[in-house]
Amino acid sequence: METVIICGPQASGKSSIVKEFPNHTRLNRDTIGGKMQGLEKLMEEALSKGKDVVLDNTFCTSEDREPFIKIAKKYNSIIKCIYMDTSVEDCLINACVRMIENYGKIPKNIEDDKSKHPDMFPPAPIYKYFKRVNKPSKDEGFDSLEFRKFSRQWPKYLKNKAIIFDYDGTLRYTNGGNGKYPTCEEEQGYYTNRHEVIKKYKEQGYILLGASNQSGIAKGHLTEDMAKKLFDLTNKNIGFDIEYSFCPHSVPPIKCYCRKPGPAMGVEFIFKHNLNPSETIMVGDMKTDETFAKRLGFKFIHVDNFFKE
């Protein structure tokens, strides 16, 4: 008999590895429900009947893994461990991709939706995992231990290209107020050299998109309707109907996937417009814009260089 324990952070790619063991009895808490202790009972039942078993759960610590190793040894089962050595950044992207594929959206208020779907969860569990994880060791009792590196493969049908613009400090500036973002028309100012540069890229076939953090909404400094009005006025001033998305949340703590450098706005654009990440450009003025681009495989160009006269 064989027991395979596939462990690693949430959205690290464990379920794809399960497919390598089609004849094993799969035990997964998300699909079966209940607590981990319930899986122990099911594992004993399967092994007692001579069945091979595959478990794909986070198994964050050696304490989490220990009961299952003991059960496997009790039935003289070979124990293999596969650890998904996936970065926190890739896990965040994977979680967003999974939500798009399964539900067609990444909820902005994910706390309202997570109870309905076991694989729809906020980013906090992923961050928590990486704070408390101790990676498996062969000394725990495994007969073999394999670390799998995650390698992202975007679908081949993603062939379009786009420019994704930040807004504040990139397409507009703020007069007065807090100086970081406008909260009303009077506080919004415009740069004079944007239209002609953007026009050149549009003529080359680039889709024009916008991604902006708007924490002022959560802080009560402006409403979502006012934010949309200000984006529309910026578009009108530039002379292009740029499709925009924005994050209305503030931090700390991080409760959403959409606040840059979180990947949600980028993932949504990729699948909505069939964008090839390697052909997509992010233009912004902040380190968060650069990190957002790097995580998703976009090229980053600082606003000063993009609109260089």
Side-chain angles (χ1 to χ4, degrees), residues 5 17-18 25 28 36 41 76 106-107 117 125 127 138 141 166-167 170 186 197 207 222 236:
I5 295 177
I17 305 302
V18 170
T25 298
N28 176 279
M36 291 299 287
K41 181 179 178 181
N76 297 314
I106 304 169
H117 310 290
Y127 290 117
K138 200 170 181 182
D166 176 45
Y167 269 75
T170 300
E186 292 73 22
V197 175
I207 299 168
L222 78 164
K236 182 178 180 181

Side-chain angles (χ1 to χ4, degrees), residues 102-113:
N102 291 344
Y103 311 111
K105 66 175 183 177
I106 304 169
K108 286 192 174 181
N109 297 313
I110 198 166
E111 293 288 343
D112 297 336
D113 292 79

Side-chain angles (χ1 to χ4, degrees), residues 25 33 43 172 204 243:
T25 298
M43 180 181 178
R172 66 188 183 192
Q204 295 174 33
E243 178 187 332

